[in-house]
Amino acid sequence: MLATGAVATIGLLVIAVLVGAHRPMALWLLIVPAAFLATGAVTVTVSPSGVTAASALFPLLRRRLPLGRIENATARWTRPTEIGGWGYRWNPGLSAVSLREGDALWITRTDNTRFVITVDDAETAALLINQLLEQDNGTQ
C-alpha cells in the first residue's frame, strides 16, 4: 500500500505540474494515495493506559482504546473479507485496520463492539492486554 500510494502521489503531482488543464482533477485525486499512505503501515502500542493503533507515516491519525473500555483480547488468523476488506473499515459493532491476511488482534470492548487489527505476533499483544486487564481489576 505504501508503494502504491507513493507512486500514485508522484504520478498525480507530475500531471498537476505538467498538464495545467488537468491540475484541479489531479490535485483532488491525491486524496486516494493519501489514504493508502495513511493506512499502509500501522504501529500498535499496548500500555497500561490502553491500546493505540497509529499510522506510521501520519502518527496524528490514530485510534486509542483506553484499558478501562476493553473487556478482553484474543488473537486469531483473519482474512480481510471477514472484516469488510483491506484498509480502515467500520461496520456496526466492528471496526478494523486490515493490511493483510494473517495474525490479527481482536479486542472486545465493554460496549460489546470489536476492534480488529492485523499485526505480527497478535498472540503476545492479546496476552499482554489481558494481563494488564487482570492487574487493573486487581487494583480496583
Side-chain angles (χ1 to χ4, degrees):
M1 287 179 71
L2 290 176
T4 301
V7 169
T9 298
I10 291 167
L12 288 168
L13 288 174
V14 167
I15 290 169
V17 169
L18 297 178
V19 186
H22 296 297
R23 183 172 296 132
M25 181 59 75
L27 294 175
W28 271 105
L29 288 174
L30 282 172
I31 293 169
V32 174
F36 273 68
L37 292 171
T39 60
V42 176
T43 59
V44 177
T45 306
V46 178
S47 71
S49 62
V51 178
T52 303
S55 168
L57 292 180
F58 305 109
L60 293 177
L61 296 175
R62 68 179 137 233
R63 176 79 188 270
R64 289 186 180 161
L65 302 170
L67 194 61
R69 299 183 76 190
I70 296 174
E71 186 72 33
N72 63 45
T74 59
R76 69 179 171 120
W77 189 267
T78 304
R79 290 186 177 94
T81 53
E82 290 178 66
I83 51 180
W86 286 266
Y88 185 82
R89 296 288 174 231
W90 180 86
N91 294 304
L94 176 89
S95 57
V97 178
S98 177
L99 303 179
R100 59 181 164 74
E101 177 178 334
D103 226 5
L105 177 63
W106 287 70
I107 297 173
T108 302
R109 300 176 60 194
T110 55
D111 62 1
N112 256 355
T113 61
R114 291 185 158 196
F115 179 72
V116 181
I117 185 164
T118 54
V119 294
D120 293 330
D121 199 13
E123 186 69 37
T124 300
L127 287 171
L128 179 56
I129 291 167
N130 290 325
Q131 286 175 352
L132 289 169
L133 286 169
E134 286 177 21
Q135 290 173 1
D136 193 47
N137 288 335
T139 60
Q140 291 181 359

